[in-house]
Amino acid sequence: MDLLNTLVDKGLRRELPTREEAMAVLATTDDELLDVVAAAGKVRRQWFGRRVKLNYLVNLKSGLCPEDCSYCSQRLGSKAEILKYTWLKPDDASKAAAAGVAGGAKRVCLVASGRGPTDKDVDRVSETISAIKEQNEGVEVCACLGLLSDGQAGRLREAGADAYNHNLNTSEATYGDICTTHDFSDRVSTVQQAQAAGMSACSGLIAGMGESDADLVDVVFALRELDPDSVPVNFLIPFEGTPLAKEWNLTPQRALRILAMVRFVCPDIEVRLAGGREVHLRSMQPLALHLVNSIFLGDYLTSEGQAGKDDLAMIEDAGFEVEGSDTTTLPEHRRPCGGAAPTGATAGATAEDTADDTGASVATEDAAAPAATVPAPSDEARRDLVSVRRRGAGTDLPPNA
C-alpha cells in the first residue's frame, strides 16, 4: 500500500502517522499535489463532512507590544504602519463582533497585543465577553491575550470564554530564532492552563518563516501532543518594517502540502486556515477547503483579508456549506461528555471516504524521510497582496465581514 493510502487509513482510524510519513507529504511533487489533496480530503470529510466553520477576529488592542516576535507587525521595534490603539470599550468590541456574527461567524476571537493580561485586563475582557454573549445568542468566544498568570484562565472561563488561543508557532528547536522575550515552554504552559480551566484549547503554527520541513513536522507533532481542539495554520504575512519582511518562502502548492500534512497528523481536530491565505494561496484557496474545516471571515488583526462576501461565495462555489450555530464542530468522541451527533455531521465513513484506493501515485519508498531543507523562495514577492487593515475595530469605518 502506498504512502497516501496508508495515511488515509490511519486518518480514518485516528491513528497518528510517523514523522517520516509526515515529512514525505511535504516532499511530494507538484505532479502529485492533487493526489495529496484528494487523500487528505477523505480524512477531512470523514470527521467534518463538507462543513466550514467561520471565525471572526476582533483586535481589542493593537500595536505597541513589548515582545520581540520577529513575524509580528505589532512587535517591539516594528516599523510596520499598522493601526495602533488601546483597549476597545466592551460595547465597541461587541458591535465589531456582531458584524462578524451577522456575516455567518460562529466564533468570535478576541485578541489583544502584549506579553499577557493584567488582572485589570482580564476584567475588561470579561465585560466584553458578557456584552458579546448578551447580544449574540449561541456565539462562541475565544480569547487570545498572551501568556496567562495563575488564576487568569479560570477567571476567563467563569466570564464565559469558551476557548483560549495561544499558538506554538514554530518548533521548539528554532523558537529562539524568532523570539527572545519568552520561550516555547511559556507557550505550552499557557495552553495547558487554558485546558485545565475547562476552556477549549486553540493552538497552531506559522509557516513560511524560513523553517525546514523537520521544523514544521516537529511543531505539528508538538501540537498533537498538547491535543488542542483547533489548530490554526497561519502563513507568514511579510510586513515591511518587521525582521521577516523579506521572507517569501511559500508557493500555493507548498501551502497546500503543509495543510495536508497537518490534516493527516490532526485528522479529527478542527484545522483552521488562518492569516496569510490570500497572500500565499491566492487563486488556489478553494482547494484548501478540502483540507481544512474552518477559516477566518474577512479581515485579520493588522492586515485586510478577502471580502467576507467573497469568502461565502468561495465556500458555496466549492461545494461546501457554512457550519451553523446549531451544529457541533468536533466529532462526538472529542466533545466533552459526548453528546448527540450534530446536524449534517458525518456519522461514519461514506463509501467514497472508505475506498481502499485513493487514486494516489506516491510510492511506498517515498515515505522515507527526506533531508530537512529550507524551501526555495517564491519567484515573486506579492507585496501587493499585503494590505494593512484600515477599517473595523479601532477605526470609524465599518468592518469587513
Side-chain angles (χ1 to χ4, degrees):
M1 183 178 290
D2 64 24
L3 169 69
L4 295 182
N5 285 332
T6 298
L7 289 170
V8 169
D9 285 348
K10 286 186 173 184
L12 299 182
R13 297 194 304 264
R14 293 186 285 129
E15 181 181 335
L16 191 67
T18 66
R19 278 183 164 78
E20 290 74 20
E21 288 166 341
M23 291 275 284
V25 173
L26 297 178
T28 54
T29 68
D30 288 351
D31 287 343
E32 298 159 332
L33 181 62
L34 289 181
D35 294 331
V36 173
V37 172
K42 291 179 183 293
V43 178
R44 180 249 200 267
R45 291 193 302 278
Q46 161 72 7
W47 302 113
F48 301 97
R50 302 188 74 84
R51 294 176 285 113
V52 179
K53 180 178 181 178
L54 298 182
N55 309 267
Y56 190 69
L57 285 165
V58 177
N59 197 353
L60 297 178
K61 181 168 74 77
S62 182
L64 306 175
C65 182
E67 303 298 285
D68 68 354
C69 306
S70 300
Y71 53 82
C72 185
S73 59
Q74 304 182 77
R75 74 186 295 274
L76 178 70
S78 171
K79 293 180 173 58
E81 297 180 353
I82 61 169
L83 291 171
K84 297 180 178 68
Y85 53 86
T86 190
W87 289 94
L88 295 181
K89 294 179 180 178
D91 284 347
D92 292 335
S94 183
K95 288 177 183 176
V101 174
K106 182 176 178 178
R107 172 174 288 189
V108 172
C109 304
L110 303 176
V111 188
S113 62
R115 179 178 178 84
T118 64
D119 286 341
K120 185 177 180 181
D121 294 337
V122 172
D123 289 338
R124 285 192 184 101
V125 176
S126 296
E127 290 179 31
T128 300
I129 294 170
S130 296
I132 290 172
K133 292 213 162 190
E134 285 174 8
Q135 297 173 28
N136 302 278
E137 184 178 357
V139 70
E140 298 175 7
V141 176
C142 178
C144 178
L145 312 174
L147 301 173
L148 294 174
S149 302
D150 289 345
Q152 291 183 330
R155 289 176 59 198
L156 288 167
R157 183 70 186 109
E158 290 172 6
D162 300 285
Y164 196 84
N165 166 262
H166 201 57
N167 295 330
L168 298 188
N169 291 327
T170 193
S171 68
E172 184 173 13
T174 58
Y175 196 84
D177 295 337
I178 65 165
C179 181
T180 65
T181 48
H182 61 267
D183 60 30
F184 189 85
S185 65
D186 293 324
R187 289 186 168 266
V188 170
S189 175
T190 287
V191 175
Q192 292 171 332
Q193 288 180 60
Q195 290 172 316
M199 286 187 284
S200 173
C202 174
S203 188
L205 65 143
I206 304 173
M209 297 189 289
E211 69 282 335
S212 67
D213 285 2
D215 290 322
L216 285 169
V217 170
D218 284 349
V219 68
V220 176
F221 271 76
L223 288 165
R224 179 67 189 196
E225 187 173 346
L226 274 176
D227 197 29
D229 292 322
S230 55
V231 173
V233 181
N234 297 276
F235 298 110
L236 177 72
I237 301 176
F239 278 97
E240 290 288 357
T242 65
L244 299 184
K246 298 188 183 303
E247 293 288 341
W248 288 84
N249 301 309
L250 296 171
T251 63
Q253 294 81 6
R254 178 162 174 80
L256 288 169
R257 281 191 285 270
I258 291 168
L259 291 171
M261 183 270 287
V262 176
R263 174 54 72 199
F264 286 129
V265 178
C266 305
D268 58 341
I269 291 173
E270 176 189 340
V271 177
R272 184 178 311 147
L273 181 54
R277 64 176 162 97
E278 299 89 346
V279 177
H280 297 292
L281 281 165
R282 301 191 286 278
S283 62
M284 295 180 74
Q285 288 183 70
L287 269 182
L289 296 177
H290 293 272
L291 307 170
V292 305
N293 63 291
S294 180
I295 67 170
F296 280 109
L297 176 73
D299 292 335
Y300 303 99
L301 297 177
T302 61
S303 66
E304 292 189 352
Q306 184 168 280
K309 63 180 178 58
D310 293 338
D311 288 334
L312 297 175
M314 176 181 72
I315 291 169
E316 182 178 3
D317 290 348
F320 292 85
E321 60 184 24
V322 173
E323 182 176 290
S325 59
D326 59 344
T327 303
T328 303
T329 299
L330 295 174
E332 187 172 359
H333 63 270
R334 291 193 61 86
R335 292 178 231 152
C337 303
T343 303
T346 307
T350 64
E352 177 191 14
D353 291 328
T354 55
D356 289 335
D357 183 10
T358 64
S361 60
V362 185
T364 305
E365 55 266 25
D366 290 338
T373 58
V374 176
S378 301
D379 292 336
E380 286 187 37
R382 289 298 307 273
R383 296 205 175 278
D384 59 304
L385 295 176
V386 179
S387 179
V388 173
R389 181 173 69 83
R390 301 295 184 198
R391 60 196 176 197
T395 76
D396 295 326
L397 298 175
N400 170 28

